[in-house]
Amino acid sequence: MLEIPESYTLAKQLNDTIQGKVIRTVKANQSPHKFTWYAGNPDDYPKLMEGKTIATTYPRAGIVEINMEDASNPSAPLVKLALSDGANIRYKTDFHNAPAKNQLYLEFEDDSSLTVSVQMYGGISAFLEGTYDNEYYLGACNKCSPLSNQFTYEYFRSLYTDKLAKASVKAFLATEQRIPGLGNGVLQDILYHAKMHPKKKMGTFTEDDFHMLFNQIRFVLKEMTEQGGRDTEKDLFGAPGKYQTYLSKKTYDNPCPKCGYLIHKEAYLGGTVYYCEHCQTL
């Protein structure tokens, strides 16, 4: 799933790879997927994007936003393509090698291609600049990223109110879009390094706990991003990220690297959590 480290990695790779290319062909919803959510009618996507030139791609929390411009009409509004959740983005230098099953296909004038294939569920949203009012997209664009200087301890501390006292730390961090792009995936290692159980109640937090959690959010996300994303996710070319996860599907039932206890796996709040019961006591 796309979270902060992956969106930053993909945005950089897309800027290095497709910026300046002209879109020759667009095909949307070729392989219908029950849990792919499009903005508007995907049948309109060819008219919206064909002939456009790829401009800058931006990481918007857990969303990758590709901007496109009309070279023949510089004053025309940008076309934006926002890809989120389980949208797997792949680039091929020869369009003949593109995955046959996909939910969005862009073919460029130099015969290269970009495909988006949805895993489990995902969002594919093409729209004119200023016309998309999706709350998750707007939150991703407007709220502070933990990788930015604006994400201060004071800002982080202000996200907690007494109404959240009974909420778990997982619920605090990964629900309600309090920190867009920080989801259940990156959450695992953040809590591991903060020595916090996913079910720890926010009402039990001391000021030292808040400082510890803030520091680990900043540190772990920076490490993940600098290493090209997590080893559980793949980049633009299908290669896994180089950040080796401590807690994930890859390490479940292995000894904890800190204490040797087995890593546990449990369903919680609509997803899976991993933890070491010795290092992350409840």
Side-chain angles (χ1 to χ4, degrees):
M1 290 288 175
L2 289 174
E3 296 187 36
I4 288 170
E6 289 70 44
S7 70
Y8 274 74
T9 298
L10 286 162
K12 181 180 185 304
Q13 291 178 325
L14 287 164
N15 283 323
D16 292 342
T17 305
I18 67 169
Q19 191 169 13
K21 291 182 185 284
V22 178
I23 301 171
R24 178 168 63 198
T25 304
V26 174
K27 297 177 183 178
N29 203 28
Q30 286 189 106
S31 307
H33 187 288
K34 184 178 180 180
F35 296 107
T36 299
W37 298 289
Y38 295 93
N41 188 341
D43 292 342
D44 297 333
Y45 283 14
K47 182 179 179 180
L48 187 63
M49 291 188 278
E50 285 180 353
K52 301 299 189 295
T53 301
I54 302 293
T56 306
T57 298
Y58 294 100
R60 305 290 192 191
I63 296 172
V64 176
E65 180 192 277
I66 303 173
N67 288 271
M68 309 171 196
E69 55 191 11
D70 188 342
S72 64
N73 183 10
S75 63
L78 290 173
V79 174
K80 292 177 176 283
L81 175 63
L83 306 170
S84 60
D85 297 310
N88 293 315
I89 312 166
R90 297 289 182 269
Y91 173 77
K92 297 292 183 181
T93 55
D94 183 347
F95 71 88
H96 292 101
N97 296 326
K101 289 186 176 182
N102 59 73
Q103 282 64 59
L104 181 66
Y105 172 83
L106 306 183
E107 184 179 300
F108 302 108
E109 289 187 345
D110 67 352
D111 290 341
S112 62
S113 69
L114 192 74
T115 56
V116 183
S117 303
V118 170
Q119 174 188 3
M120 294 179 64
Y121 60 89
I124 299 175
S125 304
F127 53 92
L128 289 175
E129 184 177 25
T131 65
Y132 192 46
D133 60 358
N134 178 275
E135 63 176 315
Y136 295 106
Y137 170 74
L138 295 177
C141 291
N142 297 325
K143 291 186 178 181
C144 292
S145 166
L147 298 178
S148 72
N149 292 331
Q150 288 72 41
F151 193 87
T152 61
Y153 177 72
E154 290 70 26
Y155 171 81
F156 171 68
R157 190 67 174 81
S158 73
L159 299 177
Y160 174 77
T161 66
D162 290 341
K163 293 180 181 180
L164 295 169
K166 294 183 179 179
S168 67
V169 64
K170 173 183 172 175
F172 173 67
L173 289 182
T175 65
E176 303 300 325
Q177 294 291 295
R178 272 178 281 273
I179 307 177
L182 195 167
N184 192 61
V186 300
L187 170 83
Q188 313 295 332
D189 277 18
I190 290 171
L191 295 183
Y192 177 70
H193 289 295
K195 299 180 180 179
M196 295 177 183
H197 194 285
K199 295 181 181 180
K200 180 180 173 69
K201 298 300 183 185
M202 294 302 299
T204 68
F205 268 50
T206 65
E207 205 62 33
D208 285 345
D209 288 334
F210 278 107
H211 275 287
M212 173 65 80
L213 187 57
F214 169 76
N215 289 334
Q216 291 308 322
I217 289 170
R218 297 273 291 179
F219 173 77
V220 173
L221 288 176
K222 182 173 181 288
E223 286 284 301
M224 289 177 170
T225 303
E226 288 179 347
Q227 295 183 45
R230 294 164 284 155
D231 60 354
T232 55
E233 306 298 323
K234 293 183 178 180
D235 67 8
L236 187 63
F237 310 103
K242 294 182 181 178
Y243 174 87
Q244 302 297 308
T245 49
Y246 288 79
L247 300 183
S248 70
K249 61 186 178 182
K250 285 181 172 286
T251 65
Y252 160 61
D253 219 19
N254 288 343
C256 168
K258 292 182 180 179
C259 71
Y261 277 64
L262 289 182
I263 293 171
H264 285 262
K265 173 184 176 182
E266 183 179 340
Y268 180 58
L269 288 182
T272 301
V273 291
Y274 304 91
Y275 59 92
C276 169
E277 63 180 357
H278 181 258
C279 295
Q280 297 165 269
T281 55
L282 181 59

